[in-house]
């Protein structure tokens, strides 16, 4: 099957100081996403994990031109989304929809549920009559587990989980092919998280959606993804099918992340051995030379400062000069 | 059937009517005693301006030849002569004149606030939403306009084009929108960073529709509050102009002009000529300020 989305060498740079601010200021850049590439097939889910500030959300926004990005984002192997003008990008915006992190903040407090959910439909399909639109909105509400008689209510009357369902309904009403979920469950309670994740899986199965699922919770990502990509400072550290990444992580960063996942069993949790990581996240404005992870890596050697490791390998790609399974000396 | 607590909550929620954020604000406003008193005063003043003429015994242009020349002795407020508020220096009925003055003053205030709302909101929202160079140029333009002393410009306008109510409206409209544009721009900057605006952009909603559908409705609270505080400001400006003798032209009058006349004759003992216009002037301002305050409390986003 040909990929729905194939991303090559995606770069997102933000200008921190503008060159014209003062005559002597030189432009400084924050390199938020650096050379990311991946393919996504229809109906599959790519999980994206990483710490705060590693460029997960920026990556998602770069794909749909919400932030200026360079590189290539090939849609169905035909159209490079990054080369399109805003006007020509518009039809693709109905095919790629987003679900946001803060459920309440992503809904306009002055609009009723019906108008919020109908907005993508009203934007992309002005030919659909108002009554038909209302019918579809009611159908979609039922689908995501909301009572259709709530159509005239306002967002502040709903709980976080319900608001996220509204956000999902809005994203799906225009029948997209790709859903970008930007930490859709991070702001929800654990029990509600499970409901929303199950809902997303169910909808994905029924509608054949492809998903990019961003999260910092590895267990949620494990539940929903087919493939998982680990980012650090805007670069891919490791990318592999789910089973391989979780059972046989090769990159020391992935190993450290996985070892930090709490186990819901106190005995096992106490016996668990974690990989300690020292130091802080390096500044993205002034990234370290060579491997960006080397300052926190237990395996860092002298060559790590010289060579920038590229994600190599076929299905299981690791960007590390000294990859390999976890070694005995590295756990505490 | 046994209901779980969640179902019970949901059932209760369904039984209640949908509450819009506006309905919530209305409820808070009507719970505020001072705001209600302000609203009552305002209703009284507006009623006076609209229907006062049908109560008046004299028109505002008629001269009462019986009291002429003996204003101090005969021109005082009295029911017998039909001059409820007394007469002015020329023997015209002050009640009718006050009604007319209130009409003009309210009209000036409303027109000024209306222009401020429409022009200022759109200008500020456009500048704030597009940001960057557009924002810079638009707001620096406002800075430049604001640096010009507006009273000077207003007086020049009135001198150049003659003293007419149209010029006064135009002049007040010209100055009123700038402050509003600044406030709206600032609020727009905070709203445009919210996720629902991003969601609309990601969906492909065009910029004019985002401004009108997502940004302006969320600004209305701020606009409403500022507009109610702007009306008295406009009235004060007009009164000042009229006090200087450059405002509305006879036989039209405004509260400011009446107060100016009354202040001029107070030495002769005709205190009612100052008192009654001043009373209505103060009532209007009090009413508007209290209503504005109440609106601010009711629409305060922190309470939401």
């Amino acid at each position: 099957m040909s990929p729905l989305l194939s991303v090559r060498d995606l770069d997102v740079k933000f200008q921190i100081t503008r060159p014209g601010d003062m005559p002597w200021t030189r432009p400084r850049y924050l390199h938020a996403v650096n050379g990311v590439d991946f393919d996504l097939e229809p109906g599959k889910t790519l999980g994206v994990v990483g710490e705060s500030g590693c460029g997960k959300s920026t990556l998602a926004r770069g794909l749909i031109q919400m932030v200026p990005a360079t590189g290539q984002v090939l849609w169905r192997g035909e159209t490079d989304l990054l080369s399109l003008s805003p006007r020509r990008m518009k039809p693709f915006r109905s095919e790629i929809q987003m679900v946001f992190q803060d459920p309440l903040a992503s809904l306009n407090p002055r609009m009723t549920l019906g108008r919020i959910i109908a907005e993508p439909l009203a934007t992309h399909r002005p030919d659909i009559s108002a009554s038909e639109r209302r019918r579809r909105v009611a159908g979609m509400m039922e689908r995501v587990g909301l009572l259709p008689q709530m159509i005239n209510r306002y967002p502040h009357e709903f709980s976080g989980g319900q608001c996220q369902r509204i956000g999902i309904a809005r994203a799906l009403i225009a029948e997209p092919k790709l859903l970008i979920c930007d930490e859709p469950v991070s702001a929800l309670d654990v029990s509600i998280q499970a409901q929303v994740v199950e809902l997303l899986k169910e909808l994905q199965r029924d509608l054949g959606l492809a998903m990019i699922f961003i999260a910092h919770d590895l267990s949620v990502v494990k539940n929903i993804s087919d493939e998982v990509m680990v980012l650090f400072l805007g670069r891919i550290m490791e990318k592999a099918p789910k089973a391989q990444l979780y059972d046989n992580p090769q990159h020391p960063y992935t190993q450290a992340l996985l070892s930090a996942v709490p186990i819901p069993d106190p005995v096992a949790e106490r016996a668990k051995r974690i990989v300690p990581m020292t130091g802080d996240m390096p500044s993205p404005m002034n990234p370290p030379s060579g491997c960006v992870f080397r300052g926190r890596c237990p395996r860092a050697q002298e060559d790590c400062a010289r060579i920038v490791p590229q994600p190599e390998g076929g299905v299981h790609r690791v960007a590390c000069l000294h990859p390999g399974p976890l070694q005995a000396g590295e756990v505490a | 059937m046994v209901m779980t607590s969640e179902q019970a909550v949901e059932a209760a929620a369904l039984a209640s009517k949908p509450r819009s954020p506006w309905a919530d604000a209305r409820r808070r406003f009507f719970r505020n005693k001072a705001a209600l008193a302000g609203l009552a005063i305002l209703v009284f003043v507006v009623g006076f301006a609209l229907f006062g003429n049908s109560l008046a015994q004299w028109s505002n242009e008629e001269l009462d030849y019986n009291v002429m020349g003996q204003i101090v002795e005969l021109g005082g407020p009295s029911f017998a002569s039909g001059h409820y508020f007394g007469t002015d220096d020329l023997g015209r009925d002050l009640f009718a004149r006050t009604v007319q003055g209130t009409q003009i003053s309210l009209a000036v205030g409303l027109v000024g606030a209306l222009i401020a709302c429409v022009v200022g909101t759109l200008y500020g929202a456009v500048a704030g939403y597009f940001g960057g160079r557009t924002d810079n140029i638009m707001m620096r333009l406002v800075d430049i306009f604001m640096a010009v002393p507006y009273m000077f410009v207003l007086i020049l306008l009135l001198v150049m084009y003659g003293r007419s109510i149209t010029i006064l409206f135009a002049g007040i409209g010209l100055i009123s929108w700038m402050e509003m544009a600044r406030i709206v721009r600032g609020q727009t900057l905070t709203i445009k960073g919210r996720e629902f605006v991003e969601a609309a952009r990601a969906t492909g909603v065009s910029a004019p529709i985002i401004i009108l559908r997502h940004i302006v409705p969320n600004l209305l609270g701020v606009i409403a509050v500022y507009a109610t505080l702007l009306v008295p400001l406009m009235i004060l400006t007009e009164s000042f102009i009229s006090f200087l003798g450059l405002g509305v032209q006879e036989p039209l009058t405004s509260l400011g002009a009446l107060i100016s006349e009354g202040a001029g004759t107070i030495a002769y003992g005709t205190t009612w000529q100052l008192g009654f216009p001043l009373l209505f002037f103060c009532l209007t301002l009090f009413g508007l300020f209290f209503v504005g305050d109440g609106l601010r409390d009711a629409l305060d986003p922190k309470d939401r």
Side-chain angles (χ1 to χ4, degrees), chain A residues 40-61:
Chain A
L40 184 62
E41 284 176 10
K44 298 283 183 195
T45 302
L46 174 71
V48 182
V49 294
E51 300 170 64
S52 307
C54 73
K56 307 185 293 286
S57 299
T58 310
L59 166 65
R61 282 161 177 71

Side-chain angles (χ1 to χ4, degrees), chain B residues 64-87:
Chain B
D64 185 351
Y65 293 102
N66 295 325
V67 301
M68 226 184 214
Q70 294 165 283
I71 305 288
V72 182
E73 294 83 32
L74 298 175
S78 105
F79 281 108
S81 65
H83 298 300
Y84 306 133
F85 288 181
T87 67

Side-chain angles (χ1 to χ4, degrees), chain A residues 18-35:
Chain A
R18 280 171 298 159
D21 262 2
M22 292 287 164
W24 56 86
T25 47
R26 257 186 282 146
R28 289 174 67 217
Y29 293 99
L30 188 157
H31 213 142
V33 176
N34 196 338

Side-chain angles (χ1 to χ4, degrees), chain A residues 61 66 90 93 100 102 105-110 115 119-120 123-124 147 149 153-154 156-157 162 170, chain B residues 10 13-14 16 18-22 24 194-196 198-199 201-205 213-214 217-218 304:
Chain A
R61 282 161 177 71
M66 298 287 285
K90 193 179 164 186
R93 291 196 186 277
F100 292 86
D102 187 334
S106 65
L107 308 175
N108 185 342
R110 301 275 180 211
R115 287 184 61 209
E119 184 165 49
T123 307
H124 291 286
L147 295 169
Q149 55 264 52
R153 290 176 175 269
Y154 289 86
H156 69 134
E157 298 176 274
Q162 283 175 317
R170 167 178 61 189
Chain B
E10 215 154 81
L14 277 179
S16 67
R19 288 180 301 126
S20 76
W22 292 111
D24 278 355
R194 303 258 295 273
E195 275 188 335
F196 65 85
E198 202 186 350
R201 283 207 303 139
T203 298
V205 182
R213 192 188 285 163
H214 293 284
N218 282 289
R304 216 172 273 149

Side-chain angles (χ1 to χ4, degrees), chain A residues 139-161:
Chain A
M140 185 50 76
M141 283 174 73
E142 217 153 356
R143 181 121 210 198
V144 299
L146 294 163
L147 295 169
Q149 55 264 52
M150 290 177 164
I151 197 162
N152 286 325
R153 290 176 175 269
Y154 289 86
H156 69 134
E157 298 176 274
F158 292 91
S159 67

